[in-house]
Amino acid sequence: MARIAVYSEPIRRWYTAQACSLASLLQLVLWLLNVIVPVIVVYSIPGFWQKFTEYREQPFIQYQHQLIVSALSASDQLATWSTMANYNRLAASKLRLPQVTSYSVDMNYDGKPDAFNITVQMPMSSGENVQRVQLMLFFASYLSLFPRLQSQGMAYIEHTSPFPGSRLDVVGDLVLVQRNPFPWTGVVTTSNSSVVNGDSIFAEDYNFLTILRNYGERNETLRLQNAYTQWSPQRSSRQPFTVHVYLRFPEQTFTYPTLFRCAPLCY
C-alpha cells in the first residue's frame, strides 16, 4: 500500500568550538578571504571597477560686478580702472573712469543664467593708440548635485594687436574647471574666496601675473574656452576704446570618486 508524507522536519546539527581554537581561526580566515579577495581582485583589474564617475550639470555662474581693465600701447600702460578702491589709488596717474554696462540672459527660464554680456567703454585721449587689452571679470559659481560647490573665479581676457584699435569683441564659453575630482557628498568651499585681495594696499597684489599665478593653484577655476575675438582698428580722436564680451555658460561634465558607492556591487 502506498504511503504519503503527512509531516516532516529537518535535522539540524550544530558543531561548536571554543573561541580560541583552530576551528574558530579557520572560520575567521575563510570569512576574511571571502570578503577581501574579491575586493582586491576587482580593484586591480583595470576598467572593471569604476573608480570615478561622471555627471552633467550646468553651473550657476553669477557676475559679482567686479572687474579690472587695462588698456596698453605697444610699450606702456595708457589707462586702467577697477571696481576696487585700493587698486584705483595705486593707479592714480593712469586712472580713467569707463562706462560699464552688463546683464545676464536666462534663455530657458530655469533660473540659471545661460549667457552674460558686458560692455566697457574706456575714454582715451587724442593720440593714444591702444594695442593691447587686459580684462578680468569676477564671478561666483555654484553646483548643487555631487557635491554642493561654492567657489569664486574669474574670466581673464587678453588680446594684443600690432595695429592700434578702437574695439575688441570676444565671444566664448566660460566653463568651470576642476583639477581633482569632487567629493561625492558635502559642501566644497575650498575656492570660495576672493581671487584678488581688494583690501591690500600693495601694488604686487594687483599685478596681473601674481593674480594669475595664485589663481591657477585653485582646484576649481573658471576658464574661457572656445573663444573668438575680433579687433576693430581706426579709432577716432574722441572715440572711447570699447571692449564687448559675450560669455555662454554651458552644461558641463564633472567627475567624483565612486569607491564607496561601488563596493556593494562587487558581491
Side-chain angles (χ1 to χ4, degrees), residues 137-240:
L137 304 171
F138 301 96
F139 296 86
S141 55
Y142 306 90
L143 295 175
S144 57
L145 295 179
F146 306 114
R148 295 189 299 276
L149 171 73
Q150 302 173 6
S151 66
Q152 298 185 38
M154 71 172 178
Y156 177 64
I157 297 168
E158 181 179 10
H159 185 81
T160 303
S161 173
F163 306 104
S166 62
R167 180 184 176 98
L168 173 65
D169 288 274
V170 180
V171 177
D173 297 335
L174 188 63
V175 299
L176 179 61
V177 179
Q178 55 176 154
R179 296 175 59 189
N180 300 306
F182 295 136
W184 63 274
T185 187
V187 180
V188 179
T189 59
T190 53
S191 299
N192 193 25
S193 58
S194 299
V195 177
V196 180
N197 181 13
D199 296 328
S200 176
I201 59 174
F202 302 103
E204 178 63 23
D205 292 330
Y206 301 101
N207 182 276
F208 276 50
L209 182 59
T210 301
I211 296 173
L212 293 173
R213 185 185 298 114
N214 294 335
Y215 183 61
E217 296 297 325
R218 299 188 175 202
N219 185 58
E220 302 88 27
T221 56
L222 293 174
R223 187 178 302 170
L224 183 62
Q225 294 183 355
N226 303 324
Y228 300 92
T229 60
Q230 177 175 301
W231 182 264
S232 302
Q234 299 179 352
R235 182 181 62 86
S236 63
S237 59
R238 296 184 178 181
Q239 180 184 4

Side-chain angles (χ1 to χ4, degrees), residues 28 105 130 147-148:
L28 177 61
V105 180
V130 179
R148 295 189 299 276

Side-chain angles (χ1 to χ4, degrees), residues 11 41 53-55 58 68 75 80 83-87 131 135 149 151 166 171 178 182 190 200 244 246:
I11 298 176
V41 172
T53 191
E54 298 179 343
Y55 78 99
Q58 180 186 0
I68 301 176
S75 59
T80 188
T83 53
M84 305 173 191
N86 287 338
Y87 177 92
Q131 294 178 255
L135 176 63
L149 171 73
S151 66
S166 62
V171 177
Q178 55 176 154
F182 295 136
T190 53
S200 176
H244 177 257
Y246 177 78

Side-chain angles (χ1 to χ4, degrees), residues 61-63 102-106 113 115-117 249:
I61 301 179
Q62 186 177 36
Y63 179 53
S102 65
Y103 61 93
S104 298
V105 180
D106 184 4
F116 172 75
N117 280 275
F249 305 145

Side-chain angles (χ1 to χ4, degrees), residues 115-133:
F116 172 75
N117 280 275
I118 187 169
T119 302
V120 181
Q121 292 183 312
M122 180 72 72
M124 306 299 298
S125 301
S126 177
E128 292 181 330
N129 296 319
V130 179
Q131 294 178 255
R132 184 184 178 193
V133 177

Side-chain angles (χ1 to χ4, degrees), residues 61-83:
I61 301 179
Q62 186 177 36
Y63 179 53
Q64 294 184 304
H65 300 281
Q66 294 181 344
L67 63 86
I68 301 176
V69 60
S70 183
L72 305 93
S73 67
S75 59
D76 188 25
Q77 185 182 55
L78 300 176
T80 188
W81 182 79
S82 172
T83 53

Side-chain angles (χ1 to χ4, degrees), residues 96-117:
R96 305 284 175 86
L97 185 61
Q99 178 180 339
V100 181
T101 57
S102 65
Y103 61 93
S104 298
V105 180
D106 184 4
M107 298 178 182
N108 54 5
Y109 303 102
D110 64 347
K112 290 184 177 181
D114 298 303
F116 172 75
N117 280 275

